[in-house]
Amino acid sequence: MSNLFDKRDVDVAWCPGCGNFGILKLVKEVLEELEIKKNSLVNVSGIGQAAKTPYYIDTNMFGVLHGRALPVATGIKLSNENLCVVAEGGDGDMYGEGGNHFIHTIRRNIDIVHIVHNNMVYGLTKGQASPTSQKGFVTGVQVDGVINEPFNPLAVALSLKAGFVSRINIGNIKHAKEVLKEAFLYKGYALVDILQPCVTFNKINTYDWFSENSYVLDDSYDASDFEQAVKKSFETIPMPIGVLYKNKNSAVTFEEAKRGRDAKPLHSVTHDMAKIQRLFESY
Amino acid sequence: MTVEQVKRYNGSISILIGGAAGMGIATLESILNNAFKKSGFYVYSTKEFMSRVRGGSNTTLIRISDTPIEAPCWSVDISIALDALALKHMQGRCHKDTLIFADEAFGEGNAILVAMKESAKKFGNAKYANTYIAGMLFGVLSIDKSFLLQSIAEHFKGDEVNKEVAEFGYEVGVKLENKSKFKLPKVDIEGLKKFHQMDGTTASGFGFLAGGCNMLTAYPMSPSTGVLNFMAAMSKEFDIAVEQSEDEIASLHMVLGGWYAGARAMTTTSGGGFALMGEALSLSGMTETPAVIYLAQRPGPATGLPTRSEQGDLNLAVYSGHGPFPRVVLAPSCLKECINYGYLAFELADRFGIPAIFLSDQYLADSISMIEDVDFASYEQRRYIVKTQEGYERYADTKDGISPRGIPGFGDGLICSVGDEHDERGQITEDYNMRERMVAKRARKNNELIKEAIPPEVYGEGDIAIVGWGSTKGSISEALQNLNNPDLAQVHFAWVYPLSKEQLSVLGNFSHIIVVENNADGAFANQLRLHDIKIYNQILQSNGFNFFADQLTLMIEESIKEIL
């Protein structure tokens, strides 16, 4: 089925069966269904297999360096708040190399959708552990298995009072779409951590493994209860999926606090030279 | 000839004030600078300070003159010590005729003892010592005290006690012996009115404002923080988005995001922070996203001397970032150039889609001198953004290599900017033909850029060129005036990279070239050598100070003695 965001003449560089295909399809469908305009959307990504996603979507994109999608996305949103800004990449990109930016982007509460493909392994560098790899995971580098505690992005995001914290499983596409749409509609920083298998380098955390080791938060779960969300975020096997936390009273966003509501895009902001003259002459 | 014997070309008087951090020397500097200017003198001041918030031993040098003055001198006419440590710290800069003032509580040797602390206490606050000293100094120099009282009134709005203290100090100064031996520089109260007094930080800030800077993201680092503060203050007056980033890596990436979406963005940093920006600089080069970087140097490597000065980061500015890509490095040498080059940095970055590095240093940033009226209307506000059509290609392969730059949401085109090698659309490619085309396209921008290279300023008609760049201009110029040797000429660069053949052609007119740099590696001389310029001699220094004009006079004299 064709989609408005299909990009023509591109050579997709993923392995056959890769979970990224499902995420690409999901993102394009959500964009189309939410009627987001191509030229008012910017997708920023770093480096890695997941970070290639924006290259396959027909929209504005800025493919930057490993770990740096978030500060670039911040600069874009600060420059023009009318743009819908997405930062997309993998677990190594966003939680490892870009870990410091992850922390401070949440603190800023910039109005972006932060999509992280979490396959618990490094794909592009061929199979090393990622920050989210499970303990005991054996690789060519972690020859005796991973000994570090896995990074918990949801708990970290909640500890920093992120307004929208979610996890989805690409194996459950219907549910994933609902959550991703909600993330796009949320005003403020929204984290969507996507469980996704790497069919080449992670033979443990497969489509089946993710389905067997996760459960969907049902209607009885109150996503506005912060303390409950914190507890949920520490559940590991099985992992809860869905919107863990959504701040009902969405806070003032970074760009609003910085420049006020309905600020002019900076490309049309010039300074009053007569005023510069006056200020200079006060010296 | 010794430093003390270096003949001053003008009737300048130099005053060195020393004390611990937190004693209020900056306030004293500000009051005196303003008062001296009102009195009709050209004023210059500079400071050297330790990397600590309280204590230690810092000095501020103030010079007054009847001609523009833009350099420090080592040897001073008057020395005022606010504490015992300062008295010792400043000893090396005093000669037999230097008037040394110290408090009676700690003064020794040939110091003239005055009751700074006791007098301040009498008026109720130890802090009045500064005002007392200002008054005393005006008394010693026999300058009309009304200018000082005006300056004090402006500084301490409404605090009458400070005026009384100043008057008291003035009377003490008038009665002191030795004071009569100072021949004051000529005054020009009316002429001085068209001058403004500021430091290099402020002038650079005005340059960036004139360049249309409307976004600044930075991590604080001495000595660059002044511009971050200036722009933050200016964000109350203008629409400027200022953000303190989590680290320097984020700073420059935010800047790139800003430009990508249409802002005129910059960051401020020093060498250590700029080292962290290397990858983002490279991203700017590859994605052809403009960037402006204010790089205020301090001595390295590593933490080095955090509050002192050096021209040690030229190689870092020129070579940082992996892979070749065009960039421009501008090193202004005075307040006027801080404004012009601040403006130009934005123009060049925008027009060529390149990073523009504005290279300052602690000395230039923190020294205060005077600048004549500037007409800001003459800085034309240009933008090099195009409204895009459907099918727009971000990396269109044009004749001059400059692809018209669209921004998202402005027109129907889509903007694909990519750090991987890419085709004209901005799609990743590993096609070797496309790679060669894109490398050549980026290189062609450099050919255009060097056409803009600004030739060095040349002063004097001698055959021997004393070549410098950036913040050393004032010192070289005063040293040459001290030497008053018709065989010498000054050649000074502000556009330091990339250098062009045309720009350097002036150097062909000289029999000998001597390069003065405030660093240990002679990085600029090496750049000249890459262009087959023969260097006869080099004068280098890396002690954390800028060159002192009197010391430099002797160094230059020494460096040419075998020619003459």
Side-chain angles (χ1 to χ4, degrees):
Chain A
M1 218 169 65
S2 76
N3 178 293
L4 273 176
F5 287 87
D6 287 343
K7 191 154 181 171
R8 277 171 303 176
D9 306 325
V10 292
D11 174 23
V12 180
W14 294 323
C15 310
C18 177
N20 285 324
F21 285 103
I23 300 175
L24 172 63
K25 185 165 176 286
L26 169 74
V27 171
K28 286 196 293 188
E29 284 176 9
V30 165
L31 293 173
E32 189 176 66
E33 286 169 30
L34 290 176
E35 297 180 2
I36 291 172
K37 277 170 62 187
K38 269 185 193 189
N39 69 343
S40 66
L41 173 75
V42 184
N43 196 343
V44 188
S45 71
I47 297 296
Q49 296 292 19
K52 289 176 179 167
T53 311
Y55 293 83
Y56 312 139
I57 300 175
D58 197 36
T59 183
N60 299 296
M61 53 97 42
F62 198 171
V64 301
L65 298 173
H66 197 39
R68 313 301 172 214
L70 288 173
V72 174
T74 301
I76 293 171
K77 191 71 184 176
L78 193 54
S79 179
N80 186 351
E81 62 163 37
N82 302 326
L83 297 170
C84 171
V85 180
V86 177
E88 185 164 10
D91 40 328
D93 195 18
M94 296 294 189
Y95 303 147
E97 189 86 34
N100 198 27
H101 309 310
F102 176 56
I103 291 171
H104 296 280
T105 305
I106 296 170
R107 288 182 54 226
R108 289 190 179 95
N109 189 33
I110 189 126
D111 182 16
I112 60 169
V113 183
H114 188 194
I115 301 173
V116 187
H117 304 205
N118 183 358
N119 58 8
M120 305 180 175
V121 70
Y122 278 22
L124 194 56
T125 55
K126 304 193 172 182
Q128 302 79 13
S130 95
T132 55
S133 291
Q134 309 277 293
K135 278 194 175 176
F137 182 64
V138 177
T139 81
V141 174
Q142 287 75 23
V143 287
D144 295 321
V146 168
I147 54 171
N148 296 353
E149 184 66 26
F151 184 74
N152 185 334
L154 306 190
V156 169
L158 284 166
S159 76
L160 296 163
K161 300 276 183 74
F164 187 100
V165 179
S166 68
R167 178 196 282 133
I168 55 183
N169 173 9
I170 200 58
N172 185 346
I173 199 82
K174 190 166 165 283
H175 173 255
K177 192 186 272 189
E178 281 167 27
V179 174
L180 186 59
K181 272 188 184 171
E182 214 177 327
F184 268 93
L185 295 172
Y186 180 76
K187 189 178 145 228
Y189 171 85
L191 174 65
V192 186
D193 181 83
I194 308 182
L195 300 175
Q196 163 233 356
C198 170
V199 294
T200 305
F201 295 110
N202 189 338
K203 304 294 185 192
I204 310 282
N205 310 109
T206 60
Y207 281 107
D208 286 345
W209 187 91
F210 282 124
S211 294
E212 285 156 16
N213 290 285
S214 67
Y215 70 96
V216 175
L217 292 167
D218 62 21
D219 291 345
S220 67
Y221 179 76
D222 178 9
S224 67
D225 183 340
F226 181 77
E227 282 175 25
Q228 194 188 352
V230 172
K231 271 187 205 153
K232 280 282 169 206
S233 72
F234 281 97
E235 285 182 13
T236 47
I237 304 288
M239 292 174 276
I241 61 170
V243 180
L244 267 74
Y245 180 65
K246 185 177 172 183
N247 184 352
K248 275 193 294 197
N249 319 305
S250 61
V252 179
T253 64
F254 174 73
E255 57 277 21
E256 280 175 353
K258 246 334 151 198
R259 302 194 52 228
R261 271 172 202 268
D262 304 319
K264 261 192 355 191
L266 288 176
H267 69 77
S268 60
V269 169
T270 52
H271 302 320
D272 174 1
M273 296 308 261
K275 192 172 183 187
I276 297 179
Q277 188 79 44
R278 278 200 305 280
L279 286 162
F280 177 80
E281 279 164 14
S282 71
Y283 280 83
Chain B
M1 193 157 68
T2 62
V3 177
E4 298 90 74
Q5 289 163 341
V6 171
K7 187 178 141 292
R8 297 265 156 66
Y9 71 92
N10 55 28
S12 72
I13 293 177
S14 53
I15 304 149
L16 188 65
I17 304 163
M23 288 181 97
I25 303 185
T27 309
L28 185 53
E29 178 187 18
S30 159
I31 292 168
L32 286 173
N33 280 356
N34 187 12
F36 283 135
K37 178 177 181 274
K38 284 182 195 296
S39 312
F41 300 111
Y42 286 91
V43 188
Y44 161 90
S45 72
T46 189
K47 38 190 147 304
E48 53 95 16
F49 50 96
M50 298 173 79
S51 181
R52 52 195 288 177
V53 177
R54 290 285 182 270
S57 198
N58 304 334
T59 65
T60 290
L61 171 74
I62 301 176
R63 300 181 71 191
I64 57 174
S65 167
D66 48 20
T67 51
I69 188 164
E70 279 173 8
C73 55
W74 175 255
S75 175
V76 297
D77 300 312
I78 297 176
S79 158
I80 303 171
L82 301 188
D83 63 15
L85 201 59
L87 188 62
K88 220 171 143 192
H89 181 62
M90 299 190 294
Q91 219 161 35
R93 297 178 69 172
C94 300
H95 52 85
K96 67 176 177 30
D97 294 326
T98 304
L99 277 192
I100 304 171
F101 294 97
D103 192 276
E104 55 191 10
F106 59 80
E108 53 180 30
N110 52 351
I112 299 166
L113 306 183
V114 283
M116 300 178 192
K117 283 188 185 143
E118 274 307 306
S119 312
K121 263 190 219 157
K122 254 186 247 165
F123 284 94
N125 192 331
K127 283 197 173 157
Y128 289 131
N130 290 310
T131 324
Y132 170 84
I133 289 164
M136 184 197 75
L137 193 58
F138 263 61
V140 166
L141 295 171
S142 305
I143 304 173
D144 184 345
K145 68 180 174 186
S146 68
F147 298 113
L148 176 64
L149 296 179
Q150 242 176 293
S151 168
I152 285 173
E154 284 170 21
H155 192 92
F156 297 106
K157 295 174 183 79
D159 181 351
E160 289 301 311
V161 184
N162 269 298
K163 276 180 158 174
E164 285 173 40
V165 179
E167 300 221 38
F168 180 79
Y170 185 83
E171 292 311 318
V172 173
V174 166
K175 286 176 198 137
L176 280 174
E177 289 172 25
N178 296 330
K179 68 181 174 59
S180 59
K181 65 182 185 176
F182 285 105
K183 189 171 165 285
L184 282 178
K186 287 195 300 286
V187 297
D188 181 7
I189 295 175
E190 276 312 302
L192 264 287
K193 280 187 177 156
K194 62 173 188 288
F195 281 89
H196 310 276
Q197 214 169 30
M198 63 184 66
D199 57 15
T201 293
T202 309
S204 305
F206 276 111
F208 299 133
L209 271 181
C213 173
N214 54 26
M215 179 170 161
L216 187 150
T217 53
Y219 189 90
M221 183 171 188
S222 295
S224 69
T225 315
V227 170
L228 167 60
N229 286 333
F230 177 85
M231 296 304 268
M234 285 299 165
S235 73
K236 292 279 187 192
E237 306 284 341
F238 302 95
D239 193 350
I240 308 170
V242 177
E243 173 66 357
Q244 182 178 319
S245 53
E246 56 270 29
D247 54 35
E248 287 88 348
I249 297 172
S251 303
L252 191 52
H253 281 98
M254 286 180 187
V255 165
L256 296 180
W259 278 95
Y260 168 85
R264 277 207 159 193
M266 69 177 293
T267 188
T268 59
T269 192
S270 186
F274 186 68
L276 288 175
M277 295 180 184
E279 61 160 19
L281 196 77
S282 189
L283 182 65
S284 162
M286 182 54 128
T287 62
E288 306 191 36
T289 308
V292 173
I293 299 129
Y294 170 79
L295 170 52
Q297 303 163 95
R298 68 192 218 188
T303 312
L305 294 168
T307 59
R308 299 184 186 274
S309 203
E310 194 163 294
Q311 295 182 303
D313 293 338
L314 180 61
N315 279 337
L316 181 73
V318 168
Y319 297 118
S320 63
H322 48 292
F325 54 89
R327 74 185 76 191
V328 63
V329 183
L330 308 169
S333 63
C334 60
L335 298 181
K336 179 72 187 168
E337 284 188 354
C338 283
I339 297 178
N340 287 343
Y341 284 88
Y343 170 81
L344 189 64
F346 276 92
E347 278 298 301
L348 296 171
D350 198 346
R351 184 173 150 208
F352 293 96
I354 53 166
I357 299 162
F358 180 106
L359 205 52
S360 181
D361 55 35
Q362 181 271 329
Y363 167 75
L364 182 63
D366 290 340
S367 299
I368 297 172
S369 56
M370 295 170 80
I371 176 172
E372 263 191 278
D373 281 339
V374 172
D375 178 17
F376 281 91
S378 67
Y379 296 95
E380 204 184 316
Q381 294 299 287
R382 304 194 190 101
R383 290 292 184 278
Y384 299 85
I385 295 167
V386 295
K387 190 167 186 176
T388 59
Q389 314 291 326
E390 224 169 299
Y392 166 81
E393 293 185 323
R394 174 66 190 91
Y395 301 107
D397 193 2
T398 58
K399 194 165 165 248
D400 58 9
I402 302 166
S403 315
R405 190 166 66 88
I407 56 169
F410 186 57
D412 298 321
L414 296 176
I415 319 302
C416 299
S417 290
V418 183
D420 281 68
E421 191 55 276
H422 42 259
D423 61 16
E424 293 184 81
R425 297 181 297 167
Q427 194 66 23
I428 293 183
T429 183
E430 295 190 29
D431 179 297
Y432 54 86
N433 290 315
M434 183 55 76
R435 162 70 180 174
E436 293 279 22
R437 265 177 68 194
M438 283 294 152
V439 168
K441 180 188 109 65
R442 290 189 288 270
R444 283 202 301 282
K445 294 202 298 183
N446 202 48
N447 301 339
E448 290 301 305
L449 175 65
I450 60 170
K451 288 183 191 160
E452 303 293 318
I454 297 173
E457 304 267 350
V458 180
Y459 310 92
E461 282 161 16
D463 229 14
I464 303 168
I466 307 298
V467 175
W469 61 279
S471 63
T472 55
K473 184 166 84 177
S475 295
I476 297 175
S477 145
E478 186 175 326
L480 294 187
Q481 291 183 64
N482 286 341
L483 288 167
N484 194 24
N485 180 337
D487 291 326
L488 298 175
Q490 181 177 13
V491 180
H492 209 82
F493 287 82
W495 179 302
V496 292
Y497 185 88
L499 296 170
S500 78
K501 216 177 189 169
E502 291 69 32
Q503 181 196 17
L504 296 175
S505 63
V506 62
L507 291 176
N509 304 337
F510 298 97
S511 63
H512 295 83
I513 289 168
I514 295 164
V515 184
V516 177
E517 295 183 69
N518 196 19
N519 60 36
D521 62 355
F524 188 67
N526 289 337
Q527 287 294 323
L528 294 176
R529 287 189 181 106
L530 290 175
H531 292 265
D532 298 323
I533 306 290
K534 213 175 143 231
I535 313 283
Y536 171 75
N537 214 338
Q538 283 176 265
I539 297 175
L540 305 175
Q541 167 185 289
S542 51
N543 56 11
F545 298 118
N546 186 24
F547 285 100
F548 293 96
D550 43 3
Q551 291 184 339
L552 185 60
T553 307
L554 303 182
M555 293 175 186
I556 294 176
E557 190 179 49
E558 176 70 21
S559 77
I560 58 172
K561 70 177 182 203
E562 297 195 356
I563 308 175
L564 301 171

